[in-house]
Amino acid sequence: MLDHTDEHHRSHRAGWLRAAVLGANDGIVSIAGLVVGVAAAGASSSALLASGLAGTVAGAMSMAAGEYVSVQSQADTEQADLAMERRALERSPEAELRELADIYQQRGLEPALAMQVARQLTAHDALGSHARDELGITESLRARPLQAALASAGAFAVGAVIPLLAVVLLPVHQVSSVTSAVTIAGLALTGGWAAHMGGAPVWRGALRVSFWGALALVASSAIGRLFPLAGGGG
């Protein structure tokens, strides 16, 4: 027999994992691209560090605000749907019962059994049953704006540490090349980790994230070279 204790489902991670992966990748790529671009323009070490730190603060706050507003919109929609369903249950309980039974019948249950299941679930938790089976809203996948905002901002800041360390530890003439190499490696790690956490092939996640990161770095370096800074370097 199947031992259900051995089943480790990952869908409950979807909300914070998506926000964290997006934040980490954005932190690495955005700040690395900023550093590489400014370095290619001939900026000094202090200018590189100031640019990187300012970009980290602004980027983390932007990610938090964007995630919060986006996920809050989803949460508002869910609450509106639940309020509508609550009113329908109060006004037309029998119609809602038949609607729930129809859903179960469409999923393969016999009409009599579908009605029996609908009655029992309605008696147990009418709104919860309609939220789950009619609206597709479950507790594990519900929108959590604050969680998403914190995960995204924190992951952005962590990702930004990689290029910032290169600025602090390396001579200015090595910053661009080393930052690019370390960034690609970091993206491969985060992409592989995200794929592993989501149950997908690790190599695929690492490859697709690294490709777009490398493209962003090449573009940033090209922009920096187009607009060299007078008196830069050192």
Side-chain angles (χ1 to χ4, degrees), residues 75-159:
D76 291 342
T77 301
E78 291 177 353
Q79 290 301 320
D81 283 345
L82 289 173
M84 184 184 303
E85 199 63 34
R86 188 179 292 108
R87 290 192 297 269
L89 285 167
E90 293 173 353
R91 296 171 182 173
S92 309
E94 287 300 319
E96 290 299 305
L97 178 65
R98 290 193 298 272
E99 182 180 34
L100 199 59
D102 288 341
I103 292 173
Y104 299 144
Q105 188 175 342
Q106 291 171 8
R107 293 180 181 177
L109 296 183
E110 295 292 333
L113 180 57
M115 179 57 73
Q116 181 183 359
V117 172
R119 288 187 185 281
Q120 291 186 7
L121 290 179
T122 297
H124 175 70
D125 183 5
L127 182 60
S129 299
H130 281 269
R132 179 183 63 251
D133 296 320
E134 181 184 350
L135 303 176
I137 300 174
T138 63
E139 185 61 29
S140 62
L141 298 179
R142 289 189 67 172
R144 294 178 173 82
L146 185 59
Q147 181 191 64
L150 292 176
S152 184
F156 185 98
V158 171

